Amino acid sequence: SPFTANDYVKAIHVFAEDNPAPEVVSFYFTPRSGRAAIATRIRLAKTQRVIALAEMQDGSFRSATMQVEVTISACGDD
């Protein structure tokens, strides 16, 4: 739904559980952003869960988790 002054996504945080630094990226929004739409690329050394955590303006949180399968490591772990 469209953002309003009283109902919007304040931030989206992305985590990769098995990365050396699990917090990958955070995106911040205001009501003027219009909607929460993001895209990013993440380097993963092995198959793991990636978590997106949405922080709402009212202090509540929503999350989504996806198991990402890595077939060829891009992180140089030969």
Side-chain angles (χ1 to χ4, degrees):
S1 63
F3 284 5
T4 67
N6 296 319
D7 183 24
Y8 66 95
V9 176
K10 186 175 175 181
I12 296 177
H13 310 283
V14 179
F15 302 89
E17 285 187 327
D18 292 333
N19 269 9
E23 187 173 346
V24 176
V25 65
S26 293
F27 299 91
Y28 297 93
F29 304 94
T30 70
R32 295 188 66 190
S33 299
R35 66 186 187 116
I38 64 169
T40 190
R41 291 177 159 231
I42 303 170
R43 294 183 82 175
L44 302 172
K46 63 182 183 176
T47 298
Q48 60 187 287
R49 292 187 331 155
V50 176
I51 302 159
L53 181 65
E55 179 182 356
M56 306 303 289
Q57 97 299 337
D58 65 1
S60 65
F61 291 88
R62 298 194 176 116
S63 67
T65 303
M66 176 69 68
Q67 182 76 11
V68 178
E69 187 171 328
V70 176
T71 56
I72 300 173
S73 175
C75 293
D77 289 345
D78 296 322

